[in-house]
């Protein structure tokens, strides 16, 4: 009741995050992420909540030593932020994130998995703020 859902889509390489996007659900928590309306960059998350999501994502990717795509779902209410699901695969939001961020997360994940460089890709990191900067992407279920 009154909780929000937040998603992290990213790419790991040997347990380090090399590409990252955090987006929020418009609906309250409980709507399946495939049916949810998503916005990127987040519009209503506090700096504290964003910090908690970044920190948790970093720890999860490191602990699982992920190389390749990863989707982590969080629920937040007040100052509580909890991971509710981690998927070591490309989620349905990967194409939305790629288009909105202007970089191909699937290509980055593929390169990471075959140990090819991503240095030429201008990947958004956990430290990247307000990307995109001139618009807000919105994924609406059809």
């Amino acid at each position: 009741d009154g909780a929000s859902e937040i998603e992290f889509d990213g790419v790991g390489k040997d347990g380090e995050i090399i590409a990252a996007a955090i987006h929020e659900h418009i609906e309250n928590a409980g709507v399946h992420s495939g049916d949810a309306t998503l916005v990127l960059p987040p519009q209503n998350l506090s700096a504290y909540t964003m910090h908690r999501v970044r920190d948790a994502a970093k720890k999860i990717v490191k602990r699982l030593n992920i190389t390749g795509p990863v989707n982590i779902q969080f629920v937040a209410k007040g100052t509580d932020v909890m991971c509710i699901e981690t998927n070591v695969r490309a989620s349905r939001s990967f194409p939305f994130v790629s288009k909105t961020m202007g970089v191909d997360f699937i290509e980055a994940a593929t390169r990471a998995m075959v140990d090819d460089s991503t240095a030429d890709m201008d990947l958004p990191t956990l430290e990247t703020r307000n990307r995109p900067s001139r618009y807000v992407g919105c994924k609406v279920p059809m």
Side-chain angles (χ1 to χ4, degrees), residues 24-27 31-39 138-141:
E24 69 180 315
H25 290 212
I26 296 296
E27 301 88 356
V31 174
H32 186 274
S33 59
D35 299 322
T37 303
L38 309 175
V39 293
C138 186
K139 180 193 87 63
V140 179

Side-chain angles (χ1 to χ4, degrees), residues 5-21:
E5 194 162 333
I6 305 156
E7 288 195 51
F8 167 88
D9 280 313
V11 177
K13 174 72 173 150
D14 299 323
E16 300 297 324
I17 296 169
I18 63 169

Side-chain angles (χ1 to χ4, degrees), residues 16 18 20 47 56 64 86-87 93 97 106 122 126:
E16 300 297 324
I18 63 169
L64 297 177
T86 299
N87 299 292
S93 51
V97 166
I106 295 297
D122 187 30
L126 279 177

Side-chain angles (χ1 to χ4, degrees), residues 4-13 15-25 33 38-42 45 49-62 64 66-76 81-98 101 105 109 123-129:
S4 59
E5 194 162 333
I6 305 156
E7 288 195 51
F8 167 88
D9 280 313
V11 177
K13 174 72 173 150
E16 300 297 324
I17 296 169
I18 63 169
I22 297 170
H23 42 98
E24 69 180 315
H25 290 212
S33 59
L38 309 175
V39 293
L40 174 67
L45 300 181
T49 298
M50 291 289 287
H51 168 75
R52 294 280 311 272
V53 168
R54 285 186 196 100
D55 187 56
K58 196 182 307 185
K59 289 176 181 175
I60 290 166
V61 170
K62 182 169 252 351
L64 297 177
I66 294 171
T67 293
V70 60
N71 168 265
I72 306 171
Q73 297 174 27
F74 298 91
V75 66
V81 178
M82 295 169 281
C83 173
I84 56 172
E85 186 175 336
T86 299
N87 299 292
V88 184
R89 61 165 171 77
S91 69
R92 286 184 265 183
S93 51
F94 255 57
F96 161 69
V97 166
S98 294
M101 299 292 266
F105 272 49
L123 297 172
T125 67
L126 279 177
E127 287 71 38
T128 302
R129 302 293 192 266

